[in-house]
Amino acid sequence: MKLDTSGLESFPSLISHGNDVVGEFEAPPSFELPNSNDFDGFLKEAIQMVKPAKGTTTLAFIFKEGVMVAADSRASMGGYISSQSVKKIIEINPYMLGTMAGGAADCQFWHRNLGIKCRLHELANKRRISVTGASKLLANILYSYRGMGLSVGTMIAGWDETGPGLYYVDSEGGRLKGTRFSVGSGSPYAYGVLDSGYKYDMSIEEASELARRAIYHATFRDGASGGVASVYYVGPTGWKKLSGDDVGELHYHYNPVTPSTVEQEMVEATGP
Amino acid sequence: MTKQHANWSPYDNNGGSCVAIAGSDYCVIAADTRMSTGYNILTRDYSKISHLAEKCVMASSGFQADVKALQKVLSARHLTYQHQHNKQMSCPAMAQLLSNTLYYKRFFPYYSFNVLGGLDSEGKGCVFTYDAVGSYERVGYSSQGSGSTLIMPFLDNQLKSPSPLLLPAQDAVTPLSETEAVDLVKTVFASATERDIYTGDKVEIVILNASGIHREFMDLRKD
């Protein structure tokens, strides 16, 4: 019996079909290759692009009472946990917070620098800088270093004359205004919890519990997130830290262990 | 055309481990004294510890040429500070200076993994831990260097201090006494020496407390 090896052929069939549509369906797939001399290197770079980066979970959202900001506290260097107590919510000034995702030194340094610039703005203009202005300052600095390897994925949250403000700024030069953001490798998990529980008309307690839960669930499923879940609230009088809970303890808080009666089990085991 | 790779690197790793532990009124900073390159030992008697200010001591492992340059820069900046402010720099101030100094070379970093220890303005022990480009945080204890992955889990087990991020806040300093902390450091280095080829020879231990600075050495395996 002659084996039908037509499926192994990579050249399109030269037999013409009457109907063009049928012809298209029957043409075997062919892969487009990039016009690169170094295909191997190109592939390596492509894989690097889709690799999950920024091992962390941070989130922030605007609601009726203000802005809620939360983050985990784990820092990883490859597979090694270099710290479980990193401050990822940075206090730029008493009414503005920044979150850290990406390179720790990059985020720390540029947020400190932003705080200095905000203070200079206050002294020069005799009024506080807006969240829009502060985020633009940071975004412009990061844009000027674009392509040089900085890794920053931050959210600037604050309360200014126009009310609560939230911007996402990253080291690619992106700057987005929004009401709900989550950044980091744990962000898909955090978004799941955050988006399903979000209501604009939440109270501060409900919002902080939602933020805490979202971080907890992200740390549960994402290996690069963990440590302490910190929750901050930004209101008209500035920011206030609401809670800092170890996620290991939060787990048993959300999933309490009910002790079973040991004697009962033993009696059942020795039954007839 | 495949990317050309450099046939020379400006960096080298001279190995070694450093540890620092903060107490309620003291701080212990220690580092081994072995300096290596590849599989060779360059010297068994090299100090990785630098006394930056009266109440501030830094231990650094990594590329010792960069470490020496960093120590010189910090000493010079401290001298300037003393001329301008007529006082010594506090440990938290030096901590931020070190962070900024490291970050200014963000695109050609100091290959130096630092641990800063000292007493804060209240006299309590403080330890700051760094990465190579300047991110830092205040902790109760830390280790850096080639033996850090061996040492840190042990310190976590013995000293696990509550995270400074917890609310209500809990103190980060260890309840250990000064002699207990020094004994712990000696145990830690003896263990790290067993399993890390770059750690050994001697450990230099510096203790900072209200009465000043005290230095001692302990022999380690030389193999």
Side-chain angles (χ1 to χ4, degrees):
Chain A
M1 185 184 88
K2 186 172 190 298
L3 293 168
D4 176 17
T5 53
S6 60
L8 294 171
E9 283 172 49
S10 50
F11 307 108
S13 169
L14 295 172
I15 303 166
S16 62
H17 297 270
N19 195 339
D20 270 0
V21 176
V22 174
E24 271 175 41
F25 280 150
E26 295 200 29
S30 61
F31 295 106
E32 275 183 42
L33 292 177
N35 294 335
S36 166
N37 295 323
D38 175 26
F39 186 58
D40 240 338
F42 180 84
L43 266 188
K44 284 203 175 94
E45 272 182 74
I47 291 168
Q48 279 301 318
M49 260 178 64
V50 292
K51 230 183 201 169
K54 302 190 177 134
T56 191
T57 310
T58 59
L59 60 83
F61 58 89
I62 293 180
F63 67 114
K64 181 182 62 158
E65 307 277 355
V67 199
M68 205 53 87
V69 183
D72 74 317
S73 69
R74 177 173 287 186
S76 37
M77 276 179 9
Y80 180 69
I81 297 173
S82 45
S83 175
Q84 287 272 64
S85 56
V86 176
K87 272 194 82 168
K88 295 193 189 174
I89 297 178
I90 299 160
E91 297 145 7
I92 299 169
N93 59 43
Y95 55 95
M96 223 180 334
L97 296 173
T99 60
M100 175 199 293
D106 293 335
C107 290
Q108 266 188 14
F109 183 87
W110 290 111
H111 277 120
R112 197 184 303 145
N113 184 273
L114 180 64
I116 294 169
K117 289 206 160 65
C118 289
R119 178 66 182 140
L120 288 172
H121 176 99
E122 275 179 30
L123 292 169
N125 299 94
K126 266 192 136 178
R127 54 187 256 165
R128 284 179 179 172
I129 191 170
S130 62
V131 181
T132 315
S135 61
K136 192 80 175 183
L137 278 177
L138 182 63
N140 286 149
I141 292 168
L142 294 177
Y143 183 78
S144 65
Y145 284 98
R146 200 172 123 91
M148 295 182 71
L150 291 188
S151 173
V152 173
T154 183
M155 296 178 283
I156 305 291
W159 189 291
D160 58 27
E161 285 165 355
T162 61
L166 179 61
Y167 283 83
Y168 164 78
V169 177
D170 70 24
S171 47
E172 313 299 300
R175 175 174 167 267
L176 298 171
K177 184 174 160 78
T179 46
R180 248 181 296 169
F181 287 113
S182 176
V183 182
S185 56
S187 64
Y189 309 106
Y191 269 129
V193 174
L194 180 59
D195 290 338
S196 62
Y198 178 83
K199 281 187 284 290
Y200 182 76
D201 303 305
M202 284 188 285
S203 68
I204 296 178
E205 289 78 35
E206 288 174 321
S208 77
E209 182 55 27
L210 179 66
R212 196 175 311 118
R213 273 230 178 222
I215 296 287
Y216 157 73
H217 281 285
T219 60
F220 187 70
R221 285 290 178 181
D222 175 33
S225 302
V228 168
S230 304
V231 180
Y232 281 68
Y233 163 70
V234 191
T237 52
W239 58 258
K240 183 168 162 20
K241 180 162 183 176
L242 294 182
S243 69
D245 302 292
D246 185 287
V247 296
E249 283 169 35
L250 270 185
H251 175 80
Y252 291 107
H253 178 69
Y254 292 137
N255 310 285
V257 179
T258 40
S260 55
T261 342
V262 178
E263 291 98 22
Q264 202 179 353
E265 284 176 17
M266 282 174 71
V267 162
E268 283 169 9
T270 56
Chain B
M1 135 134 166
T2 45
K3 189 173 177 180
Q4 276 212 313
H5 289 281
N7 48 15
W8 176 83
S9 165
Y11 295 113
D12 188 14
N13 189 351
N14 299 120
S17 316
C18 328
V19 164
I21 300 175
S24 50
D25 61 348
Y26 66 88
C27 188
V28 178
I29 301 102
D32 70 323
T33 60
R34 173 176 287 180
M35 185 164 152
S36 355
T37 172
Y39 283 128
N40 301 316
I41 295 178
L42 293 169
T43 176
R44 299 190 190 277
D45 212 358
Y46 191 83
S47 174
K48 301 186 180 67
I49 298 181
S50 162
H51 191 184
L52 295 174
E54 191 191 350
K55 292 192 164 71
C56 188
V57 171
M58 177 173 85
S60 323
S61 80
F63 181 38
Q64 292 301 321
D66 271 354
V67 167
K68 186 122 273 185
L70 183 62
Q71 287 170 354
K72 283 181 176 180
V73 165
L74 292 172
S75 292
R77 288 297 307 272
H78 184 228
L79 197 57
T80 311
Y81 182 95
Q82 285 180 81
H83 286 314
Q84 289 176 343
H85 297 89
N86 199 21
K87 64 175 183 176
Q88 297 261 336
M89 267 179 101
S90 68
C91 196
M94 184 61 86
Q96 186 152 310
L97 175 64
L98 174 54
S99 170
N100 284 326
T101 308
L102 291 170
Y103 198 84
Y104 285 140
K105 275 179 60 75
R106 168 66 173 79
F107 299 114
F108 183 13
Y110 288 108
Y111 193 96
S112 163
F113 296 97
N114 311 293
V115 123
L116 195 79
L119 303 171
D120 64 12
S121 32
E122 295 164 22
K124 283 171 37 183
C126 60
V127 169
F128 295 89
T129 187
Y130 295 80
D131 70 2
V133 277
S135 96
Y136 78 112
E137 56 162 327
R138 182 169 175 173
V139 287
Y141 59 90
S142 178
S143 80
Q144 292 281 356
S146 56
S148 67
T149 47
L150 298 166
I151 296 172
M152 258 327 242
F154 183 70
L155 291 179
D156 282 333
N157 177 267
Q158 296 293 310
L159 295 175
K160 183 70 194 266
S161 52
S163 171
L165 299 172
L166 290 172
L167 199 69
Q170 294 167 44
D171 224 357
V173 295
T174 174
L176 285 184
S177 74
E178 193 183 299
T179 24
E180 284 175 328
V182 172
D183 274 340
L184 182 61
V185 163
K186 290 178 177 172
T187 310
V188 142
F189 270 94
S191 307
T193 305
E194 295 287 326
R195 293 289 178 174
D196 177 29
I197 60 175
Y198 297 113
T199 303
D201 294 330
K202 281 204 299 276
V203 55
E204 180 185 1
I205 305 173
V206 170
I207 304 138
L208 263 179
N209 52 26
S211 43
I213 186 168
H214 172 70
R215 191 178 301 250
E216 65 180 89
F217 291 85
M218 183 187 88
D219 268 4
L220 297 170
R221 283 180 67 128
K222 298 183 191 324
D223 60 358

mmCIF file of all heavy atoms in Angstrom, chain B residues 6 17 19 23 38 55 62 65 69 73 87 97 111 118 128 146 164-165 170 172 179 188 202 206 212 215-216 223:
data_model
loop_
_atom_site.group_PDB
_atom_site.id
_atom_site.type_symbol
_atom_site.label_atom_id
_atom_site.label_comp_id
_atom_site.label_asym_id
_atom_site.label_seq_id
_atom_site.Cartn_x
_atom_site.Cartn_y
_atom_site.Cartn_z
ATOM 1 N N ALA B 6 32.451 40.997 23.968
ATOM 2 C CA ALA B 6 33.699 41.596 24.440
ATOM 3 C C ALA B 6 34.677 40.511 24.840
ATOM 4 O O ALA B 6 34.292 39.490 25.402
ATOM 5 C CB ALA B 6 33.407 42.508 25.614
ATOM 6 N N SER B 17 32.195 37.077 51.883
ATOM 7 C CA SER B 17 30.857 37.301 52.431
ATOM 8 C C SER B 17 30.908 38.361 53.512
ATOM 9 O O SER B 17 31.921 38.511 54.204
ATOM 10 C CB SER B 17 30.301 36.026 53.056
ATOM 11 O OG SER B 17 30.551 34.927 52.244
ATOM 12 N N VAL B 19 28.342 40.219 56.729
ATOM 13 C CA VAL B 19 27.129 40.066 57.534
ATOM 14 C C VAL B 19 27.035 41.280 58.442
ATOM 15 O O VAL B 19 28.054 41.819 58.879
ATOM 16 C CB VAL B 19 27.224 38.778 58.390
ATOM 17 C CG1 VAL B 19 26.212 38.778 59.499
ATOM 18 C CG2 VAL B 19 27.027 37.557 57.534
ATOM 19 N N GLY B 23 21.413 45.425 66.911
ATOM 20 C CA GLY B 23 20.876 45.124 68.230
ATOM 21 C C GLY B 23 20.228 46.359 68.817
ATOM 22 O O GLY B 23 20.167 47.415 68.189
ATOM 23 N N GLY B 38 38.901 33.939 40.479
ATOM 24 C CA GLY B 38 38.739 32.617 39.884
ATOM 25 C C GLY B 38 38.970 31.568 40.961
ATOM 26 O O GLY B 38 38.403 31.653 42.053
ATOM 27 N N LYS B 55 29.954 56.525 63.805
ATOM 28 C CA LYS B 55 28.990 55.489 64.173
ATOM 29 C C LYS B 55 28.479 54.760 62.935
ATOM 30 O O LYS B 55 27.315 54.384 62.864
ATOM 31 C CB LYS B 55 27.812 56.140 64.909
ATOM 32 C CG LYS B 55 28.186 56.684 66.271
ATOM 33 C CD LYS B 55 26.960 57.064 67.086
ATOM 34 C CE LYS B 55 27.290 57.228 68.552
ATOM 35 N NZ LYS B 55 28.088 58.412 68.854
ATOM 36 N N GLY B 62 32.477 41.696 46.559
ATOM 37 C CA GLY B 62 32.313 41.880 45.124
ATOM 38 C C GLY B 62 33.659 42.147 44.490
ATOM 39 O O GLY B 62 34.611 41.411 44.719
ATOM 40 N N ALA B 65 38.354 46.343 43.731
ATOM 41 C CA ALA B 65 38.852 47.607 43.179
ATOM 42 C C ALA B 65 37.736 48.647 43.199
ATOM 43 O O ALA B 65 37.945 49.813 43.566
ATOM 44 C CB ALA B 65 39.361 47.400 41.757
ATOM 45 N N ALA B 69 37.424 52.107 45.501
ATOM 46 C CA ALA B 69 37.063 53.412 44.915
ATOM 47 C C ALA B 69 35.841 53.984 45.621
ATOM 48 O O ALA B 69 35.781 55.185 45.931
ATOM 49 C CB ALA B 69 36.782 53.240 43.424
ATOM 50 N N VAL B 73 35.494 57.523 47.733
ATOM 51 C CA VAL B 73 34.500 58.558 47.409
ATOM 52 C C VAL B 73 33.690 58.924 48.647
ATOM 53 O O VAL B 73 33.478 60.096 48.957
ATOM 54 C CB VAL B 73 33.576 58.063 46.280
ATOM 55 C CG1 VAL B 73 32.334 58.900 46.161
ATOM 56 C CG2 VAL B 73 34.314 58.030 44.963
ATOM 57 N N LYS B 87 29.923 68.504 62.079
ATOM 58 C CA LYS B 87 29.573 67.304 62.837
ATOM 59 C C LYS B 87 29.728 66.081 61.938
ATOM 60 O O LYS B 87 29.832 66.221 60.713
ATOM 61 C CB LYS B 87 28.144 67.391 63.380
ATOM 62 C CG LYS B 87 27.067 67.439 62.326
ATOM 63 C CD LYS B 87 25.686 67.398 62.958
ATOM 64 C CE LYS B 87 24.621 67.379 61.871
ATOM 65 N NZ LYS B 87 23.278 67.258 62.374
ATOM 66 N N LEU B 97 23.528 58.579 51.301
ATOM 67 C CA LEU B 97 24.656 59.021 50.471
ATOM 68 C C LEU B 97 25.204 57.856 49.660
ATOM 69 O O LEU B 97 25.497 57.977 48.462
ATOM 70 C CB LEU B 97 25.762 59.611 51.353
ATOM 71 C CG LEU B 97 27.042 60.011 50.620
ATOM 72 C CD1 LEU B 97 26.783 61.120 49.630
ATOM 73 C CD2 LEU B 97 28.116 60.434 51.617
ATOM 74 N N TYR B 111 30.726 47.335 41.085
ATOM 75 C CA TYR B 111 30.380 45.939 41.332
ATOM 76 C C TYR B 111 30.653 45.657 42.807
ATOM 77 O O TYR B 111 31.637 45.018 43.169
ATOM 78 C CB TYR B 111 31.239 45.033 40.434
ATOM 79 C CG TYR B 111 30.773 43.597 40.372
ATOM 80 C CD1 TYR B 111 29.956 43.158 39.334
ATOM 81 C CD2 TYR B 111 31.156 42.677 41.326
ATOM 82 C CE1 TYR B 111 29.541 41.839 39.264
ATOM 83 C CE2 TYR B 111 30.744 41.359 41.264
ATOM 84 C CZ TYR B 111 29.942 40.947 40.233
ATOM 85 O OH TYR B 111 29.532 39.642 40.169
ATOM 86 N N GLY B 118 25.562 50.452 61.832
ATOM 87 C CA GLY B 118 25.944 51.505 62.760
ATOM 88 C C GLY B 118 24.870 51.766 63.770
ATOM 89 O O GLY B 118 23.963 50.947 63.975
ATOM 90 N N PHE B 128 21.718 48.609 57.032
ATOM 91 C CA PHE B 128 21.134 48.913 55.728
ATOM 92 C C PHE B 128 21.752 47.959 54.723
ATOM 93 O O PHE B 128 22.955 47.747 54.708
ATOM 94 C CB PHE B 128 21.443 50.350 55.309
ATOM 95 C CG PHE B 128 20.824 51.385 56.205
ATOM 96 C CD1 PHE B 128 21.500 51.850 57.318
ATOM 97 C CD2 PHE B 128 19.562 51.889 55.938
ATOM 98 C CE1 PHE B 128 20.937 52.796 58.158
ATOM 99 C CE2 PHE B 128 18.988 52.842 56.769
ATOM 100 C CZ PHE B 128 19.679 53.296 57.880
ATOM 101 N N SER B 146 29.318 36.132 48.277
ATOM 102 C CA SER B 146 29.210 34.790 47.706
ATOM 103 C C SER B 146 28.543 33.805 48.659
ATOM 104 O O SER B 146 27.923 32.845 48.227
ATOM 105 C CB SER B 146 30.590 34.275 47.311
ATOM 106 O OG SER B 146 31.452 34.320 48.437
ATOM 107 N N PRO B 164 9.399 45.560 58.927
ATOM 108 C CA PRO B 164 9.097 46.951 59.273
ATOM 109 C C PRO B 164 7.837 47.466 58.585
ATOM 110 O O PRO B 164 7.349 48.539 58.920
ATOM 111 C CB PRO B 164 10.333 47.717 58.791
ATOM 112 C CG PRO B 164 11.041 46.812 57.877
ATOM 113 C CD PRO B 164 10.697 45.431 58.243
ATOM 114 N N LEU B 165 7.290 46.674 57.642
ATOM 115 C CA LEU B 165 6.089 47.130 56.934
ATOM 116 C C LEU B 165 4.800 46.796 57.670
ATOM 117 O O LEU B 165 3.736 47.244 57.291
ATOM 118 C CB LEU B 165 6.028 46.487 55.549
ATOM 119 C CG LEU B 165 7.193 46.821 54.625
ATOM 120 C CD1 LEU B 165 7.097 45.981 53.380
ATOM 121 C CD2 LEU B 165 7.170 48.278 54.247
ATOM 122 N N GLN B 170 6.241 46.898 64.462
ATOM 123 C CA GLN B 170 6.973 46.148 65.466
ATOM 124 C C GLN B 170 8.449 46.421 65.252
ATOM 125 O O GLN B 170 8.906 46.584 64.136
ATOM 126 C CB GLN B 170 6.667 44.656 65.331
ATOM 127 C CG GLN B 170 5.209 44.337 65.644
ATOM 128 C CD GLN B 170 4.818 42.946 65.218
ATOM 129 O OE1 GLN B 170 5.560 41.994 65.441
ATOM 130 N NE2 GLN B 170 3.677 42.809 64.593
ATOM 131 N N ALA B 172 12.343 46.290 64.649
ATOM 132 C CA ALA B 172 13.119 45.401 63.782
ATOM 133 C C ALA B 172 14.375 44.868 64.458
ATOM 134 O O ALA B 172 14.970 43.915 63.976
ATOM 135 C CB ALA B 172 13.496 46.129 62.497
ATOM 136 N N THR B 179 26.992 39.723 73.048
ATOM 137 C CA THR B 179 27.851 38.523 72.989
ATOM 138 C C THR B 179 27.154 37.412 72.206
ATOM 139 O O THR B 179 27.809 36.685 71.453
ATOM 140 C CB THR B 179 28.196 37.992 74.399
ATOM 141 O OG1 THR B 179 27.188 38.434 75.298
ATOM 142 C CG2 THR B 179 29.540 38.477 74.862
ATOM 143 N N VAL B 188 27.965 31.492 61.969
ATOM 144 C CA VAL B 188 27.503 31.692 60.590
ATOM 145 C C VAL B 188 28.672 31.625 59.614
ATOM 146 O O VAL B 188 28.603 30.980 58.565
ATOM 147 C CB VAL B 188 26.740 33.033 60.529
ATOM 148 C CG1 VAL B 188 26.996 33.778 59.249
ATOM 149 C CG2 VAL B 188 25.266 32.811 60.709
ATOM 150 N N LYS B 202 39.946 34.091 57.587
ATOM 151 C CA LYS B 202 39.667 34.725 58.889
ATOM 152 C C LYS B 202 38.379 35.505 58.744
ATOM 153 O O LYS B 202 38.004 35.898 57.640
ATOM 154 C CB LYS B 202 40.778 35.733 59.253
ATOM 155 C CG LYS B 202 42.048 35.146 59.790
ATOM 156 C CD LYS B 202 42.833 36.147 60.651
ATOM 157 C CE LYS B 202 43.292 37.413 59.984
ATOM 158 N NZ LYS B 202 44.546 37.268 59.267
ATOM 159 N N VAL B 206 33.531 43.561 63.665
ATOM 160 C CA VAL B 206 33.563 44.909 64.232
ATOM 161 C C VAL B 206 32.293 45.121 65.028
ATOM 162 O O VAL B 206 31.196 44.838 64.545
ATOM 163 C CB VAL B 206 33.656 45.957 63.096
ATOM 164 C CG1 VAL B 206 33.442 47.346 63.627
ATOM 165 C CG2 VAL B 206 34.997 45.849 62.403
ATOM 166 N N GLY B 212 32.013 52.902 71.862
ATOM 167 C CA GLY B 212 32.956 53.072 70.753
ATOM 168 C C GLY B 212 32.981 51.880 69.838
ATOM 169 O O GLY B 212 31.997 51.174 69.651
ATOM 170 N N ARG B 215 37.203 45.725 67.637
ATOM 171 C CA ARG B 215 37.456 44.839 66.483
ATOM 172 C C ARG B 215 38.050 43.537 66.975
ATOM 173 O O ARG B 215 38.909 43.534 67.841
ATOM 174 C CB ARG B 215 38.470 45.548 65.570
ATOM 175 C CG ARG B 215 38.683 44.941 64.205
ATOM 176 C CD ARG B 215 39.666 45.801 63.433
ATOM 177 N NE ARG B 215 39.151 47.148 63.297
ATOM 178 C CZ ARG B 215 38.719 47.692 62.155
ATOM 179 N NH1 ARG B 215 38.736 46.994 61.056
ATOM 180 N NH2 ARG B 215 38.284 48.928 62.134
ATOM 181 N N GLU B 216 37.570 42.406 66.435
ATOM 182 C CA GLU B 216 38.234 41.144 66.762
ATOM 183 C C GLU B 216 38.273 40.249 65.526
ATOM 184 O O GLU B 216 37.527 40.460 64.563
ATOM 185 C CB GLU B 216 37.541 40.434 67.943
ATOM 186 C CG GLU B 216 36.142 39.963 67.713
ATOM 187 C CD GLU B 216 35.562 39.279 68.951
ATOM 188 O OE1 GLU B 216 34.963 39.971 69.794
ATOM 189 O OE2 GLU B 216 35.716 38.051 69.048
ATOM 190 N N ASP B 223 41.147 26.187 53.715
ATOM 191 C CA ASP B 223 41.189 25.367 52.498
ATOM 192 C C ASP B 223 40.127 25.815 51.481
ATOM 193 O O ASP B 223 39.329 26.655 51.761
ATOM 194 C CB ASP B 223 41.006 23.883 52.836
ATOM 195 C CG ASP B 223 39.686 23.594 53.516
ATOM 196 O OD1 ASP B 223 38.907 24.539 53.772
ATOM 197 O OD2 ASP B 223 39.413 22.415 53.800
#
